[in-house]
Amino acid sequence: MGIMPIHERLAELWTIRSRRPLTEAEMSDFEHCLAVNAAYCRQLAHLYNCSLLASMTSDAEWQHELCSRIEKISGLPPTLGRM
């Protein structure tokens, strides 16, 4: 998986922040990037945990479905509020 645009922007803002204070618009972008990143991490962690559960219960069909969903979102940011 490559770097997602949201992570590129987050890195850019982090670098800017180390050199000068962020503008109001940049701070808004920074907060948005953090929120999207947190939602993405929670969604991916949930799918990984469900996949582990499917493996532990020998539910191959469910595990394949979960793996497919993990692959599908691995390169795309989630929609906020959807999990």
Side-chain angles (χ1 to χ4, degrees):
M1 173 179 98
I3 297 174
M4 294 178 6
I6 197 78
H7 294 133
E8 288 178 354
R9 180 64 174 150
L10 189 57
E12 177 186 14
L13 292 167
W14 180 265
T15 302
I16 292 169
R17 193 176 90 155
S18 70
R19 291 182 170 78
R20 64 164 171 79
L22 296 176
T23 65
E24 192 173 316
E26 289 169 336
M27 184 55 86
S28 179
D29 265 4
F30 189 68
E31 293 293 328
H32 176 74
C33 288
L34 289 173
V36 170
N37 183 61
Y40 174 76
C41 290
R42 282 192 309 268
Q43 183 179 24
L44 200 53
H46 175 73
L47 290 173
Y48 280 128
N49 287 336
C50 287
S51 180
L52 176 61
L53 180 60
S55 172
M56 293 171 71
T57 58
S58 300
D59 191 335
E61 184 178 337
W62 186 32
Q63 188 170 18
H64 287 289
E65 175 191 331
L66 291 164
C67 289
S68 175
R69 289 175 61 191
I70 289 168
E71 288 175 12
K72 186 175 180 179
I73 71 162
S74 289
L76 301 172
T79 302
L80 281 177
R82 199 179 83 196
M83 296 212 348

